[in-house]
Amino acid sequence: NRLFAGSISKMQAGLNAHPSLGLTYTYGTAGFRTSADILDPVMFRLGALAALRSRAQESLPAHISTPQVDPMGEMLQASWEAHAVELANCADEQVEATLKSIAEREGVDMTQQAKVMVGSDTRKSSPALVQAVKDGCLAVGAHCEDFGNLTTPQLHYLVRAHNDSSFGEPTEAGYYAKHAAAFKRLLAHANVSLPIKLKVDCANGVGAPKFAALLPLLAGVFEAELCNQGEGPLNEKCGADYVKVQQGAPSNMTFEGDERCASFDGDADRLVYYFQRAGQFCLLDGDRIASLAAGYLNELAAAAGLSLDLGVVQTAYANGGSSNFLQNEAKVPVAFAKTGVKHLHHKALDFGVGVYFEANGHGTVLFNDKALKTLEKAEYATDSARQAGAMLGDFVQLINQTVGDAISDLLMVEAILALKGMSTEQWAAMYNDLPNRQLKVKVADRTVITTTDAERICVTPAGLQDAINELVEQTPQGRSFVRPSGTEDVVRVYAEADTRENADKLAYAVANKVFELAGGVGQAPAP
Ligand code: G16
């Protein structure tokens, strides 16, 4: 009467090798994020859960990265997040019963084949965590395929391609071939001198070797000089998050004049751009990428004579300058979602073409089924309309629609700039960013902060939102919000205003209110 008859000994052996540490794990914004040395039992259990998820989808492979799991290559479905939390936190003796109960609740047929695909990054902790996943799969009789080092979005691509052959070849080489071919088809319509040149900071992460592997396929069309290729620690003084939060260049990268540069983050799912204007560092973040993509895809749809219902999804972190530009100048509908690509992705599917980007550079463009059908069935009145329709089709191929992908997003940006004949300077001139500042506040228990309205309003602790309102009212073009991080043990504070000085002043005043009303620990925030 046991669920995993015949594999019981493997389950017990797995539990013996990956025993519970008696800790409590939370799923947060994007998976179980904590120190690698306490993740071993979680990865073992998630290996087993991914196998169940695969069986729930009639043997379609599921995957584990950090660790979001889903057979269509998208982020794990919300109900399964709850299962993951339940399984990660039960006692060793309860693991089997918990898996059985999840299988029953989800109607999983345990006689189905199961396949799990796993990838890893360049960190020293990866091999042991991958082994834990493999043991979890083995414990429930599932096949696990280890793809070695990959960027997070490459793994999402592989899972999707494995389950849907129309998406692409389910190999790493297939990923490069698909993206390179679509990029070159688009570039054939551009009137710019080739090759396009770019400097790319790879955050000392897995994006470095993976992007390098793509470059030979783009020879003559696109060249990139790579920095921070793994010689230093991951994300340290480099990478998209550092550049965005510090609003300055990464280390080990020098650039002059209007040279265009970009930064990936450690697992290459985020992308930001920058250059210098009169010696000043100029950031082009996720909001800029969204504005560029939304504007251009709308232009193409109009040229093709198609109505595709394009919209943009942003979070509270979106710069007020970008939201204002999109809504009032570009006349594009904007929806707001909570932080975390899983929330944006979901909301973006409400649009025919859903452009979603977090300001931190994490995002992509989704073409929903209705939009894809419109494209497929389109009848064009003129050759130029037909060409615009074909180019939209090439963007469908170029963009990794499973999840935000720094490599694919970079190619999308470069293609749009080339097709529009737009310089970095002109891209930056689309709208003006309001000066902004992000801070972190350490508190005893960050769950005392609760929010509503896509995290733009703070509900508890009592009095905090009133205090924020008062500070915002005193600040020209002021806006500020606070939210508990879902990946770090801190409260995040965002503020923007008419000037750098006012944005900093507002951010520190709000951070001090958080410290005072939400149980701050250590030193009060100070510039
Ligand atoms: C993850 C999520 C992002 C989110 C970020 C910060 O990024 O995937 O959607 O914006 O964490 O989240 P929080 O403010 O809750 O800590 P990444 O690049 O680490 O996967």
Side-chain angles (χ1 to χ4, degrees), residues 324-387:
N324 181 44
F325 167 80
L326 284 164
Q327 286 165 312
N328 301 323
E329 287 186 48
K331 308 280 182 212
V332 172
V334 178
F336 283 87
K338 283 167 70 175
T339 299
V341 276
K342 62 188 180 190
H343 300 297
L344 287 99
H345 193 96
H346 191 68
K347 209 154 205 134
L349 285 168
D350 291 344
F351 293 111
V353 181
V355 179
Y356 76 81
F357 273 89
E358 294 185 299
N360 62 24
H362 205 166
T364 187
V365 181
L366 302 181
F367 294 78
N368 75 7
D369 288 344
K370 194 168 164 221
L372 290 175
K373 279 232 164 62
T374 306
L375 263 180
E376 204 181 292
K377 295 202 171 137
E379 284 177 13
Y380 300 105
T382 62
D383 284 348
S384 65
R386 183 169 304 105
Q387 181 181 310

Side-chain angles (χ1 to χ4, degrees), residues 29-30 33 265 270 339-341 358 360 362 483 485-487 492:
T29 311
R33 299 293 182 97
D265 69 341
R270 296 194 204 175
T339 299
V341 276
E358 294 185 299
N360 62 24
H362 205 166
R483 54 176 285 278
S485 162
T487 62
R492 298 204 195 281

Side-chain angles (χ1 to χ4, degrees), residues 58-104:
E58 293 168 351
S59 306
L60 297 177
H63 85 272
I64 295 196
S65 49
T66 44
Q68 306 94 9
V69 201
D70 238 15
M72 289 322 278
E74 295 173 343
M75 306 293 256
L76 181 61
Q77 196 180 299
S79 59
W80 283 76
E81 271 187 33
H83 300 332
V85 173
E86 186 184 353
L87 188 64
N89 291 308
C90 69
D92 283 344
E93 307 73 60
Q94 291 300 313
V95 167
E96 203 187 334
T98 305
L99 281 166
K100 184 176 177 186
S101 149
I102 294 168
E104 274 167 11

Side-chain angles (χ1 to χ4, degrees), residues 188-204:
H189 302 286
N191 187 16
V192 287
S193 62
L194 299 175
I196 297 166
K197 291 189 176 165
L198 192 71
K199 276 192 177 161
V200 182
D201 153 34
C202 299
N204 286 321

Side-chain angles (χ1 to χ4, degrees), residues 110-194:
M110 293 304 293
T111 62
Q112 287 269 357
Q113 294 281 317
K115 180 168 174 178
V116 174
M117 297 162 78
V118 64
S120 46
D121 70 14
T122 48
R123 280 175 284 190
K124 282 200 194 89
S125 49
S126 289
L129 295 177
V130 167
Q131 189 56 50
V133 170
K134 287 181 181 170
D135 290 351
C137 294
L138 194 69
V140 295
H143 175 65
C144 181
E145 193 172 354
D146 178 3
F147 285 87
N149 281 352
L150 290 174
T151 69
T152 300
Q154 282 181 321
L155 183 59
H156 285 250
Y157 166 92
L158 285 176
V159 174
R160 174 65 173 269
H162 200 286
N163 293 327
D164 168 8
S165 57
S166 70
F167 193 71
E169 269 288 314
T171 60
E172 194 183 326
Y175 170 94
Y176 299 127
K178 177 182 174 178
H179 291 95
F183 184 71
K184 288 200 270 194
R185 283 197 302 276
L186 283 164
L187 263 282
H189 302 286
N191 187 16
V192 287
S193 62
L194 299 175

